[in-house]
């Protein structure tokens, strides 16, 4: 996420309930990423690790330069898909390393 969006880690450490938490984002917004020893992948090693839509559909990010972010996604060996251009903007999607779907959209 740091390399794809230029975010920084706002905080990282042990979770109150065990496990490990990372808050990564901007000064104003962030994602809270969490894991613990009981988190298990649905299909370890066989494509997306967690089933799409369970419990979340996708995370959407707005960016100024869609092509620059797509190049970073490709450089990270992730696969963009679903390119489209309709109101309110151009977009593409990708699954991150854990199978979480991201939509990247530019309104420019």
């Amino acid at each position: 996420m740091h390399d794809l969006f230029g975010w920084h880690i706002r905080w990282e450490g042990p979770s109150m309930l065990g496990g490990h938490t990372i808050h990564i984002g901007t000064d104003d917004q962030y994602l809270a990423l969490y894991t613990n020893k009981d988190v298990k992948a649905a299909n370890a090693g066989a494509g997306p690790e967690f089933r799409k839509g369970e419990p979340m559909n996708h995370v959407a990010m707005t960016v100024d330069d869609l092509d620059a972010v797509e190049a970073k996604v490709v450089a990270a060996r992730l696969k963009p898909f679903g390119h489209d251009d309709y109101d309110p903007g151009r977009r593409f999607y990708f699954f991150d390393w854990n199978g979480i779907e991201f939509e990247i959209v530019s309104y420019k």
Side-chain angles (χ1 to χ4, degrees):
M1 299 300 132
H2 172 271
D3 294 338
L4 297 180
F5 303 118
W7 292 350
H8 63 274
I9 294 175
R10 296 166 45 126
W11 181 84
E12 179 176 5
S15 170
M16 292 185 326
L17 302 174
H20 189 81
T21 299
I22 300 172
H23 291 181
I24 187 166
T26 67
D27 290 337
D28 300 319
Q29 303 167 27
Y30 68 93
L31 293 177
L33 306 176
Y34 170 78
T35 193
N36 67 48
K37 66 179 180 58
D38 296 323
V39 172
K40 302 288 186 224
N43 296 322
E49 301 294 329
F50 301 95
R51 291 165 33 132
K52 180 182 171 351
E54 292 182 10
M56 175 179 64
N57 187 6
H58 69 271
V59 175
M61 309 296 303
T62 58
V63 299
D64 290 331
D65 189 338
L66 195 69
D67 295 330
V69 174
E70 183 170 6
K72 292 177 184 179
V73 167
V74 170
R77 293 188 279 180
L78 300 169
K79 296 182 186 203
F81 67 93
H83 296 79
D84 219 333
D85 188 357
Y86 57 86
D87 285 337
R90 290 178 50 223
R91 70 201 72 240
F92 71 90
Y93 298 82
F94 71 93
F95 287 103
D96 77 358
W97 305 272
N98 294 305
I100 297 171
E101 184 178 25
F102 281 78
E103 174 187 17
I104 310 302
V105 63
S106 176
Y107 298 130
K108 299 249 178 208

